[in-house]
Amino acid sequence: MSFSDAMRTVRDSLSARTVYAEPYERDGITVIAAATVIGGGGGGSGDQPKVDGAGFGLVARPTGAFVIQHGKVSWKPAIDVHRLVGLAGAVTVALVLAHRRGR
């Protein structure tokens, strides 16, 4: 894969289709799921013939969904329970350490 091919793949991967799912409709309600997508790529070549390299990375996580019902649009955020529990644990540890240090 050439560098330009790799960059084209990165560009195509970071399109609106990656962020927004196809609308799903049922019983008069339309849902459009959305995600946060972070990505990047790079590449280069060496002094030797046929020594080229390229690559990219992509991270996506659900963000929420737009819900269209009775002509009104609302946003329903996705809640990452594991992340929320981890954050609560980190805050608790920080508070305990700060309290101990204050003695």
Side-chain angles (χ1 to χ4, degrees):
M1 175 182 281
S2 71
F3 179 73
S4 61
D5 290 340
M7 291 303 102
R8 193 174 303 105
T9 302
V10 170
R11 185 192 68 224
D12 293 345
S13 297
L14 297 175
S15 71
R17 284 187 218 118
T18 307
V19 177
Y20 298 104
E22 291 294 321
Y24 176 80
E25 186 176 351
R26 185 170 182 179
D27 298 331
I29 300 172
T30 302
V31 176
I32 304 170
T36 299
V37 180
I38 300 169
S45 61
D47 294 334
Q48 304 296 319
K50 303 284 184 181
V51 180
D52 294 334
F56 76 99
L58 186 68
V59 175
R61 71 170 8 131
T63 304
F66 290 103
V67 178
I68 306 168
Q69 185 176 15
H70 304 299
K72 294 184 179 182
V73 178
S74 61
W75 172 254
K76 303 293 182 187
I79 297 174
D80 186 346
V81 176
H82 297 290
R83 190 173 186 190
L84 190 61
V85 169
L87 179 61
V91 168
T92 302
V93 168
L95 288 174
V96 167
L97 292 175
H99 181 5
R100 284 186 176 181
R101 189 172 224 184
R103 288 183 177 182

